[in-house]
Amino acid sequence: GELRAVRSVTLTAPNLFSTVQVTRLAPLGSLAKEKDLIVEFDDSERRASLEETLLEVEQIDEQIKKAKADLAIRNNQDQVDLLRQRYAVRRAELEVKRNELISAIDAKKNLLTLEEAKRKLAQLESDIKSRREQAEAQLAVLQETRNKSMIDVQREKQRIAQSKVLSPMTGLVAIKQNRSGFFMFGSQVPDIREGDTLQPGMPVADVL
């Protein structure tokens, strides 16, 4: 007669964006409990990629820190410049109030000085606003780049987690045959073994 499993689950090779090499494999016919390791794949490339991405995040964090510090320094200097220029406008306004007491030529000079002071103040306010908007835009770009890098970090962590295939239930382990190579007609197809390189999605073992 033939015995059939009441329930079976097929475990497949994960998609790690390349072929995957088996580094550990549960013995054929062994009893596996739920969450026991059935097959483990080489994740060295993914770990190297994760380290590289984490390094990028650290570099971006340093750039963000520096950009914020530069912005704070620039804002402080801008406030000082604004205060100085507003004082220049106020002083020119006070000089204009004396125009009735001085000559027409000096009165004209005072008016021109006041207009020039107001023009400089308006230009300074415009420059400060433009600089702040530009700095904030650069910060936003850096923050967006960091967000994308963090998504890559999470993706690599998920791939590394997928390199360890655990049993979803208690049962017997049945190793699949390695059909990824080329074999002579009539020859026996070998079982998957540690060291074999498999394609993503390829069945590796059944838990019966």
mmCIF file of all heavy atoms in Angstrom, residues 166-190:
data_model
loop_
_atom_site.group_PDB
_atom_site.id
_atom_site.type_symbol
_atom_site.label_atom_id
_atom_site.label_comp_id
_atom_site.label_asym_id
_atom_site.label_seq_id
_atom_site.Cartn_x
_atom_site.Cartn_y
_atom_site.Cartn_z
ATOM 1 N N LEU A 166 12.147 28.141 7.944
ATOM 2 C CA LEU A 166 11.723 27.392 9.123
ATOM 3 C C LEU A 166 10.511 26.529 8.808
ATOM 4 O O LEU A 166 9.728 26.826 7.900
ATOM 5 C CB LEU A 166 11.400 28.354 10.268
ATOM 6 C CG LEU A 166 12.476 29.391 10.618
ATOM 7 C CD1 LEU A 166 12.007 30.246 11.789
ATOM 8 C CD2 LEU A 166 13.807 28.736 10.922
ATOM 9 N N SER A 167 10.359 25.480 9.586
ATOM 10 C CA SER A 167 9.214 24.592 9.386
ATOM 11 C C SER A 167 7.948 25.260 9.907
ATOM 12 O O SER A 167 7.914 25.754 11.033
ATOM 13 C CB SER A 167 9.441 23.276 10.125
ATOM 14 O OG SER A 167 8.308 22.443 9.985
ATOM 15 N N PRO A 168 6.871 25.286 9.094
ATOM 16 C CA PRO A 168 5.623 25.905 9.551
ATOM 17 C C PRO A 168 4.808 24.993 10.471
ATOM 18 O O PRO A 168 3.800 25.410 11.026
ATOM 19 C CB PRO A 168 4.880 26.158 8.236
ATOM 20 C CG PRO A 168 5.368 25.081 7.330
ATOM 21 C CD PRO A 168 6.792 24.801 7.713
ATOM 22 N N MET A 169 5.237 23.720 10.621
ATOM 23 C CA MET A 169 4.495 22.768 11.456
ATOM 24 C C MET A 169 5.428 21.630 11.836
ATOM 25 O O MET A 169 6.569 21.555 11.375
ATOM 26 C CB MET A 169 3.280 22.234 10.696
ATOM 27 C CG MET A 169 3.651 21.447 9.451
ATOM 28 S SD MET A 169 2.219 20.809 8.584
ATOM 29 C CE MET A 169 3.020 19.773 7.351
ATOM 30 N N THR A 170 4.949 20.764 12.694
ATOM 31 C CA THR A 170 5.711 19.572 13.066
ATOM 32 C C THR A 170 5.483 18.487 12.018
ATOM 33 O O THR A 170 4.349 18.225 11.609
ATOM 34 C CB THR A 170 5.284 19.070 14.456
ATOM 35 O OG1 THR A 170 5.552 20.094 15.417
ATOM 36 C CG2 THR A 170 6.036 17.801 14.839
ATOM 37 N N GLY A 171 6.573 17.850 11.574
ATOM 38 C CA GLY A 171 6.424 16.796 10.571
ATOM 39 C C GLY A 171 7.767 16.231 10.148
ATOM 40 O O GLY A 171 8.824 16.643 10.642
ATOM 41 N N LEU A 172 7.720 15.294 9.212
ATOM 42 C CA LEU A 172 8.928 14.677 8.692
ATOM 43 C C LEU A 172 9.461 15.478 7.515
ATOM 44 O O LEU A 172 8.696 16.014 6.713
ATOM 45 C CB LEU A 172 8.631 13.239 8.245
ATOM 46 C CG LEU A 172 8.236 12.254 9.349
ATOM 47 C CD1 LEU A 172 7.926 10.891 8.737
ATOM 48 C CD2 LEU A 172 9.340 12.125 10.392
ATOM 49 N N VAL A 173 10.785 15.540 7.403
ATOM 50 C CA VAL A 173 11.426 16.313 6.345
ATOM 51 C C VAL A 173 11.708 15.408 5.151
ATOM 52 O O VAL A 173 12.342 14.358 5.295
ATOM 53 C CB VAL A 173 12.747 16.935 6.847
ATOM 54 C CG1 VAL A 173 13.440 17.694 5.716
ATOM 55 C CG2 VAL A 173 12.489 17.859 8.022
ATOM 56 N N ALA A 174 11.218 15.811 3.994
ATOM 57 C CA ALA A 174 11.500 15.101 2.741
ATOM 58 C C ALA A 174 12.223 16.064 1.813
ATOM 59 O O ALA A 174 11.665 17.081 1.409
ATOM 60 C CB ALA A 174 10.207 14.607 2.102
ATOM 61 N N ILE A 175 13.485 15.746 1.495
ATOM 62 C CA ILE A 175 14.301 16.631 0.658
ATOM 63 C C ILE A 175 13.941 16.417 -0.814
ATOM 64 O O ILE A 175 13.796 15.291 -1.282
ATOM 65 C CB ILE A 175 15.797 16.362 0.882
ATOM 66 C CG1 ILE A 175 16.149 16.500 2.367
ATOM 67 C CG2 ILE A 175 16.639 17.310 0.041
ATOM 68 C CD1 ILE A 175 15.850 17.847 2.963
ATOM 69 N N LYS A 176 13.810 17.524 -1.548
ATOM 70 C CA LYS A 176 13.483 17.462 -2.976
ATOM 71 C C LYS A 176 14.733 17.117 -3.795
ATOM 72 O O LYS A 176 15.862 17.248 -3.336
ATOM 73 C CB LYS A 176 12.922 18.809 -3.431
ATOM 74 C CG LYS A 176 11.563 19.156 -2.844
ATOM 75 C CD LYS A 176 10.482 18.345 -3.509
ATOM 76 C CE LYS A 176 9.100 18.870 -3.135
ATOM 77 N NZ LYS A 176 8.023 18.089 -3.805
ATOM 78 N N GLN A 177 14.489 16.700 -5.031
ATOM 79 C CA GLN A 177 15.594 16.444 -5.946
ATOM 80 C C GLN A 177 16.068 17.743 -6.587
ATOM 81 O O GLN A 177 15.276 18.654 -6.820
ATOM 82 C CB GLN A 177 15.153 15.454 -7.039
ATOM 83 C CG GLN A 177 14.859 14.053 -6.514
ATOM 84 C CD GLN A 177 14.372 13.139 -7.618
ATOM 85 O OE1 GLN A 177 13.615 13.554 -8.497
ATOM 86 N NE2 GLN A 177 14.809 11.869 -7.576
ATOM 87 N N ASN A 178 17.362 17.803 -6.855
ATOM 88 C CA ASN A 178 17.961 18.986 -7.476
ATOM 89 C C ASN A 178 17.849 18.872 -8.990
ATOM 90 O O ASN A 178 18.657 18.207 -9.639
ATOM 91 C CB ASN A 178 19.423 19.127 -7.061
ATOM 92 C CG ASN A 178 20.028 20.437 -7.527
ATOM 93 O OD1 ASN A 178 19.422 21.172 -8.304
ATOM 94 N ND2 ASN A 178 21.217 20.740 -7.053
ATOM 95 N N ARG A 179 16.845 19.520 -9.539
ATOM 96 C CA ARG A 179 16.609 19.449 -10.980
ATOM 97 C C ARG A 179 17.125 20.683 -11.708
ATOM 98 O O ARG A 179 16.715 20.977 -12.830
ATOM 99 C CB ARG A 179 15.109 19.269 -11.266
ATOM 100 C CG ARG A 179 14.547 17.979 -10.679
ATOM 101 C CD ARG A 179 13.084 17.775 -11.033
ATOM 102 N NE ARG A 179 12.576 16.518 -10.501
ATOM 103 C CZ ARG A 179 12.719 15.325 -11.106
ATOM 104 N NH1 ARG A 179 13.370 15.261 -12.267
ATOM 105 N NH2 ARG A 179 12.224 14.232 -10.565
ATOM 106 N N SER A 180 18.015 21.427 -11.065
ATOM 107 C CA SER A 180 18.526 22.650 -11.687
ATOM 108 C C SER A 180 19.669 22.377 -12.650
ATOM 109 O O SER A 180 20.030 23.232 -13.449
ATOM 110 C CB SER A 180 19.003 23.631 -10.603
ATOM 111 O OG SER A 180 20.039 23.047 -9.844
ATOM 112 N N GLY A 181 20.282 21.155 -12.591
ATOM 113 C CA GLY A 181 21.402 20.842 -13.469
ATOM 114 C C GLY A 181 20.972 20.065 -14.695
ATOM 115 O O GLY A 181 19.777 19.894 -14.984
ATOM 116 N N PHE A 182 21.946 19.578 -15.470
ATOM 117 C CA PHE A 182 21.683 18.775 -16.663
ATOM 118 C C PHE A 182 22.107 17.340 -16.378
ATOM 119 O O PHE A 182 23.231 17.098 -15.917
ATOM 120 C CB PHE A 182 22.468 19.329 -17.867
ATOM 121 C CG PHE A 182 22.059 20.730 -18.242
ATOM 122 C CD1 PHE A 182 22.768 21.830 -17.756
ATOM 123 C CD2 PHE A 182 20.955 20.951 -19.048
ATOM 124 C CE1 PHE A 182 22.378 23.114 -18.091
ATOM 125 C CE2 PHE A 182 20.570 22.241 -19.379
ATOM 126 C CZ PHE A 182 21.278 23.317 -18.901
ATOM 127 N N PHE A 183 21.214 16.400 -16.668
ATOM 128 C CA PHE A 183 21.484 14.996 -16.364
ATOM 129 C C PHE A 183 21.223 14.142 -17.591
ATOM 130 O O PHE A 183 20.364 14.455 -18.427
ATOM 131 C CB PHE A 183 20.607 14.522 -15.189
ATOM 132 C CG PHE A 183 20.755 15.369 -13.951
ATOM 133 C CD1 PHE A 183 19.837 16.364 -13.666
ATOM 134 C CD2 PHE A 183 21.821 15.165 -13.090
ATOM 135 C CE1 PHE A 183 19.982 17.136 -12.538
ATOM 136 C CE2 PHE A 183 21.966 15.947 -11.955
ATOM 137 C CZ PHE A 183 21.044 16.935 -11.673
ATOM 138 N N MET A 184 21.966 13.055 -17.680
ATOM 139 C CA MET A 184 21.786 12.102 -18.783
ATOM 140 C C MET A 184 20.442 11.417 -18.642
ATOM 141 O O MET A 184 19.958 11.171 -17.537
ATOM 142 C CB MET A 184 22.907 11.059 -18.763
ATOM 143 C CG MET A 184 24.305 11.621 -19.003
ATOM 144 S SD MET A 184 24.531 12.205 -20.687
ATOM 145 C CE MET A 184 24.484 10.640 -21.543
ATOM 146 N N PHE A 185 19.826 11.109 -19.762
ATOM 147 C CA PHE A 185 18.539 10.416 -19.745
ATOM 148 C C PHE A 185 18.696 9.079 -19.031
ATOM 149 O O PHE A 185 19.603 8.296 -19.342
ATOM 150 C CB PHE A 185 18.032 10.207 -21.178
ATOM 151 C CG PHE A 185 16.724 9.474 -21.237
ATOM 152 C CD1 PHE A 185 15.543 10.111 -20.904
ATOM 153 C CD2 PHE A 185 16.691 8.128 -21.600
ATOM 154 C CE1 PHE A 185 14.331 9.436 -20.953
ATOM 155 C CE2 PHE A 185 15.480 7.448 -21.639
ATOM 156 C CZ PHE A 185 14.304 8.104 -21.323
ATOM 157 N N GLY A 186 17.827 8.811 -18.100
ATOM 158 C CA GLY A 186 17.877 7.553 -17.375
ATOM 159 C C GLY A 186 18.705 7.611 -16.112
ATOM 160 O O GLY A 186 18.657 6.689 -15.295
ATOM 161 N N SER A 187 19.515 8.669 -15.945
ATOM 162 C CA SER A 187 20.332 8.780 -14.728
ATOM 163 C C SER A 187 19.469 9.262 -13.565
ATOM 164 O O SER A 187 18.435 9.904 -13.755
ATOM 165 C CB SER A 187 21.495 9.741 -14.948
ATOM 166 O OG SER A 187 21.022 11.048 -15.202
ATOM 167 N N GLN A 188 19.895 8.941 -12.362
ATOM 168 C CA GLN A 188 19.135 9.312 -11.172
ATOM 169 C C GLN A 188 19.426 10.769 -10.793
ATOM 170 O O GLN A 188 20.580 11.173 -10.731
ATOM 171 C CB GLN A 188 19.495 8.389 -10.011
ATOM 172 C CG GLN A 188 18.640 8.643 -8.760
ATOM 173 C CD GLN A 188 18.946 7.650 -7.658
ATOM 174 O OE1 GLN A 188 19.793 6.765 -7.843
ATOM 175 N NE2 GLN A 188 18.280 7.775 -6.539
ATOM 176 N N VAL A 189 18.359 11.515 -10.583
ATOM 177 C CA VAL A 189 18.515 12.920 -10.180
ATOM 178 C C VAL A 189 18.841 12.960 -8.695
ATOM 179 O O VAL A 189 18.098 12.405 -7.878
ATOM 180 C CB VAL A 189 17.234 13.732 -10.464
ATOM 181 C CG1 VAL A 189 17.423 15.186 -10.049
ATOM 182 C CG2 VAL A 189 16.864 13.649 -11.929
ATOM 183 N N PRO A 190 19.931 13.617 -8.289
ATOM 184 C CA PRO A 190 20.328 13.606 -6.879
ATOM 185 C C PRO A 190 19.440 14.518 -6.031
ATOM 186 O O PRO A 190 18.821 15.456 -6.521
ATOM 187 C CB PRO A 190 21.763 14.136 -6.919
ATOM 188 C CG PRO A 190 21.790 15.029 -8.123
ATOM 189 C CD PRO A 190 20.877 14.374 -9.132
#
